[in-house]
Amino acid sequence: MPFEELAMLMGSPTALEATKALLDRFERRLTLCQSANSSSAENIDHLLKRLATPKRKAPPSRDGRTRVAAKRPARTSETSRLSRYSLRVVLCAYMILAHPSAVLSGDGEQEQLLMESAANFVREFELLVKTILEGPGRTSRQPSLDGAESSSCQKSYDVASQSKFKTQLVNFDKAWCTYLYGFVVWKVKDARSLEGDLVRAACKLELSMMQTCKLTADGQSHNLTHDMKAIQKQVSDDQKLLREKVQHLSGDAGIERMDSALSDARSKFFEAKENGSPLAAPVANVCTPLRIDSSGKLPPTEVNMNSKTDAEGSRSVVRSLFGASGASSSTSPVNLPTENEQMVNEMLHEDGGAIAGNSNDARTIEKDFQDKVRETMEKAFWDVVTDSMRGDKPDYSQLINLVKEVRDSLHDLAPKEWKEEIYENIDLEILSQVLESGSQDTQYLGQILQYSLDMVRKLSAAAKDDEMKASHDKLLSELAASSEDTDNGVSSFVIAVIKGLRFTLEEIKQLQVEVSKAYVQLMQPTIKGSAGVEYLQKAFGDRYGPPANASASLPVTLQWISASKSIVDGEWSEHLGSLSVLPAANHAQPLVTVLRAGHGAPTAAVASAGSSGLPECKGEKIDKLVRVGLLQLISGMEGLQLQSAPESFHLNFLRLRAVQGQFQEVIVMATSMLVLRQVLMSENSKITPPELETVISELFGALVKLLDNSPEAGTEEIVEAMMSASASAGSLSDAKIQARRQIITRVLLKSLQADDVVFKKVSRAVHCAFRGVLLGGSGAKGQKLADAALRRVGAGKLADRVVKAAEVLIRVATVSEKVHGPWYKALA
């Protein structure tokens, strides 16, 4: 049964109530049996307590003292008793057996023991249920006699039935105790792992804030901008949430470990800062990567059935199919790339004048999340500033700091001959005196705002002068015409000041972005040449050491190179074989064997011979290794994580994650098209190829629109798209439409299982299509290879998507070979 369907059935109220009632009945029966035999069941209270919520500190009262629950009646042993058979843990046994890769986070000894004990427990559980329903041979051995003989035999039968039940109940309980022990051992290990992730997240936030806000050892900071104050508030709120999660997960002991880690992080940060270490950096003591999901969230704290069972995982066909886990957001302090490295890396991957990777799914998700956080932080900050200026005794300190920020920003952007003028026109001392007089005179502030906006216009591009002057004049007019009183008891002075300063700071921010872009464009010709490669090469060497030490300093890259070496010859040989028959690719080829003969998909248009594209692989050893290795990384069933990615690709991790998502989407789309083709042909053998292709073309367009706009689309949305496309094949009765929907849903879910023959053929075809472009280049040759591979499963329409995704990998391979070539040669 597919993962989502099984989870949905298990979570239904009917299933939960029935199972809970049955388990409670088993527990009562066990107690009665033990009492009758003057024996006792194995004591597992110490294991059951591990499943309960950890101990929490009592909340403090208003006077600061800890509350004492003296007035609350003490819980009796009956009310505090834990159920012997935990409903959640019992159901988890089925999840472990059905989908071990989705539930278990590893395949170590503990996971193997858990799987074995779960299998034994489920077997004994189902035998016990069968014994209750059927009895010992009831259907074949129950006597059919009359009178006293019948009564005697019936009593004998009942005794045998009860004996059989008691024996099976004891066996069931023994299997449960063994399974529970394995589950608790696994749960505690997984919980501690998640606790470590949460603590590392808190440390990362703390250290990032300390560096950004330039905190001193006493926790103070001078000249905080409004952005810095907003960052401090956001970090405080985020850490509070993390503390709550740790409290829920590990109780007081977890909070103590978190406090200790934060204290140690601060100490190491200031120690590194004093010693002039190159890494007094945002994650100075984050020892292992922090796992987050594709939406930028930490894994849920309910780890008992693993984070992959959350709503996102069960809703997304692509993610649940491939077990895609989230991207890691940090790495160890020694391995953290700097912002300059990231910028240079983006320039080297640039194509067509735009920085590559900025528009991919992973970065878009991350940017959307950051924009929402920034918007919330800014609103909270301006609310604080507004509140500080209300009332009879307003506090103007934040207002003065904001004006100071305007002045300093303009000073930094202006040429040397204008700097003194800026200080003269924005005099903070005079502003302070005006505000302290209590007159709330807007005249001087208005002069400062008007001068600041004029300066921004002078520093901006001449082409924007008219547009900016109009918007600035409009703002000043609105401020001058603002009413004396407003709602919420805020004076017109406050409203005018806040609106004017906020507008001015936004204008300055846009100017800073423009200046940065201009600087980047100025540097691009130099960086995109040998200087960029040399810079990244030096940074990589400083971080990981010389190529001679690569086997020790690059363990994941070494493992990746070794794995690539074991398959590169086979992949290259298959690629050469595909090239040898490439001319035949222009003729009709047989489709995958699951399709009926005579209903093949027409050939998709391929690039003309003049299409150059990105270069092909010429067979050079390192080039083959890197390209084939990248193909293996993105075609894996499990979602790529930072800690499992080669160190040489940490800068391009989001790129690889995005391509892996596109690889998986192609499989889902190709399978959906193939399934609909099968269903329609099985319903109507007279459907003509043109009619069939019209339907498939409609489905292709619908799937492109669906998955491009909603990558997390689930089976319901995909089935709906298939049904909508199939409507053009002819009108049907409501009953037949419903039957078609059921067939499509069943066949699609079955075809997306990893062990299904259709899935294997489709995924292999997609693998070959990507390989064709990676090794054959993205020109005419590679496009024809991709088209030929995809047409075997009726998915030639997807060739363009494959080519575009594979081009990203070719660029990554090309840049990496230039930057990391010496290390690859040492490892190969």
Side-chain angles (χ1 to χ4, degrees), residues 36-58:
N37 297 333
S38 300
S39 59
S40 60
E42 180 180 347
N43 190 334
I44 55 174
D45 288 348
H46 62 293
L47 297 176
L48 297 174
K49 289 177 181 177
R50 288 281 191 175
L51 303 177
T53 303
K55 175 184 175 184
R56 306 188 188 191
K57 289 181 179 179

Side-chain angles (χ1 to χ4, degrees), residues 151-169:
S151 176
S152 175
C153 288
Q154 183 63 48
K155 290 179 181 178
S156 175
Y157 174 82
D158 290 340
V159 170
S161 177
Q162 290 192 15
S163 176
K164 172 74 172 179
F165 170 76
K166 291 177 182 177
T167 301
Q168 186 56 44
L169 182 60

Side-chain angles (χ1 to χ4, degrees), residues 410-429:
L410 291 174
H411 183 271
D412 292 340
L413 292 168
K416 185 176 179 180
E417 56 270 19
W418 293 359
K419 293 184 182 293
E420 185 176 349
E421 176 192 330
I422 292 173
Y423 273 98
E424 291 176 354
N425 283 274
I426 306 179
D427 193 318
L428 297 181
E429 185 175 348

